[in-house]
C-alpha cells in the first residue's frame, strides 16, 4: 500500500511538473509567435506605405508595392495558422497533464481514506471502531487487496489466489487458516453493509 501511495504521489508530482512545463512552453511559443506576427504586421504596414508612395509616383512602383503587401499579408496569415495549430497541441498536452494529475490525486485520496466509505457505519466507540479498522486493514493486507477496494475486486483476488494458497495444493496450512479467516471477515462485512 505504501509503495502504491508512493507511486501515486510520484505520478501526481510528475503530472504537475508536466503541466508546468507545458504551460511554460505555451507561453514561450506565444511570445515567439507574437513577435513574428508583429514583424509581419510591420512589414505589411511598410508595404502599404510603400504602395501609397508608389501610387503617388508611378504605376510600376504600385505593382511592386502591391506584391510586397500581398506577400506580407500571406506571411501574417501563415503565422496565424501556425500559432493556432501550436496552441491546439499545447492545449491538448495541458489537458492530458491535468487529467493525469487528477487521476494520481484520486489514487492518493483513496489510499489516504484507507477503508470503504461505508466504514463510517462501524461501531461508534473509539476503541471498537479502531479495533475493527485494524482488523479490516489486516484482512485486506492478508489477501493482498488495498483497503477501500470494492467487493468485486476482493472476491476476484481471493478466487485468483485460493488455488495456490490451499493446503491440498501445497500451500502453508497455518497461512491458509489465517487467509480464509480474513476472507470470511471481509465477506461478512461487505454482506452486512449491502456491498456484496
Amino acid at each position: 500500500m505504501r509503495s502504491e501511495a508512493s507511486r501515486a504521489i510520484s505520478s501526481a508530482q510528475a503530472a504537475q511538473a508536466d503541466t508546468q512545463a507545458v504551460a511554460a512552453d505555451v507561453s514561450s511559443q506565444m511570445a515567439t509567435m507574437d513577435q513574428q506576427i508583429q514583424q509581419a504586421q510591420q512589414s505589411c504596414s511598410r508595404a502599404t506605405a510603400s504602395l501609397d508612395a508608389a501610387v503617388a509616383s508611378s504605376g510600376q512602383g504600385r505593382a511592386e508595392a502591391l506584391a510586397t503587401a500581398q506577400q506580407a499579408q500571406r506571411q501574417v496569415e501563415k503565422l496565424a495558422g501556425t500559432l493556432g495549430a501550436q496552441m491546439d497541441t499545447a492545449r491538448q498536452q495541458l489537458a492530458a497533464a491535468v487529467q493525469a494529475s487528477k487521476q494520481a490525486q484520486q489514487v492518493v485520496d483513496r489510499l489516504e481514506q484507507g477503508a470503504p466509505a461505508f466504514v463510517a457505519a462501524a461501531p461508534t466507540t473509539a476503541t471498537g471502531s479502531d479495533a475493527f479498522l485494524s482488523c479490516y486493514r489486516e484482512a485486506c493486507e492478508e489477501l493482498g487487496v488495498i483497503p477501500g477496494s470494492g467487493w468485486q475486486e476482493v472476491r476476484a483476488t481471493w478466487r485468483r489466489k485460493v488455488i495456490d494458497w490451499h493446503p491440498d495444493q501445497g500451500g502453508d496450512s497455518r497461512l491458509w487458516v489465517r487467509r480464509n479467516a480474513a476472507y470470511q471477515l471481509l465477506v461478512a462485512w461487505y454482506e452486512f453493509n449491502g456491498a456484496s
Side-chain angles (χ1 to χ4, degrees):
M1 187 166 130
R2 286 183 182 151
S3 64
E4 186 169 342
S6 296
R7 284 195 303 273
I9 290 169
S10 297
S11 177
Q13 290 170 343
Q16 288 172 349
D18 288 346
T19 302
Q20 292 170 353
V22 168
D25 187 42
V26 169
S27 297
S28 173
Q29 289 178 6
M30 288 179 65
T32 302
M33 294 301 289
D34 191 42
Q35 289 175 353
Q36 291 174 344
I37 287 173
Q38 286 177 2
Q39 290 171 356
Q41 287 172 338
Q42 289 171 358
S43 178
C44 188
S45 297
R46 284 194 301 271
T48 303
S50 177
L51 177 62
D52 291 341
V55 167
S57 64
S58 71
Q60 184 180 7
R62 179 175 183 242
E64 290 175 9
L66 183 59
T68 304
Q70 288 173 345
Q71 183 181 4
Q73 183 64 33
R74 284 192 298 270
Q75 186 179 4
V76 168
E77 289 171 1
K78 182 180 176 183
L79 287 172
T82 303
L83 177 62
Q86 289 179 347
M87 289 299 297
D88 287 343
T89 302
R91 283 189 196 102
Q92 290 171 358
Q93 290 173 342
L94 186 61
V98 167
Q99 182 63 26
S101 180
K102 285 180 182 177
Q103 289 173 345
Q105 188 61 49
Q106 288 172 351
V107 171
V108 170
D109 291 345
R110 182 176 171 203
L111 291 170
E112 285 176 350
Q113 289 173 358
F118 54 74
V119 167
T124 54
T125 61
T127 54
S129 178
D130 291 346
F132 173 77
L133 289 176
S134 176
C135 289
Y136 172 82
R137 287 188 183 110
E138 274 188 61
C140 288
E141 186 176 323
E142 194 66 44
L143 297 184
V145 294
I146 298 170
S149 298
W151 166 244
Q152 300 296 330
E153 186 177 342
V154 172
R155 185 173 59 187
T157 301
W158 171 256
R159 288 180 175 175
R160 194 171 50 251
K161 294 181 177 181
V162 71
I163 294 171
D164 295 332
W165 289 346
H166 199 280
D168 292 345
Q169 301 298 322
D172 187 327
S173 59
R174 286 174 294 142
L175 287 176
W176 168 253
V177 170
R178 183 171 173 79
R179 287 171 176 159
N180 191 36
Y183 179 69
Q184 296 306 320
L185 182 146
L186 293 176
V187 167
W189 175 249
Y190 282 92
E191 283 181 358
F192 181 75
N193 287 283
S196 59

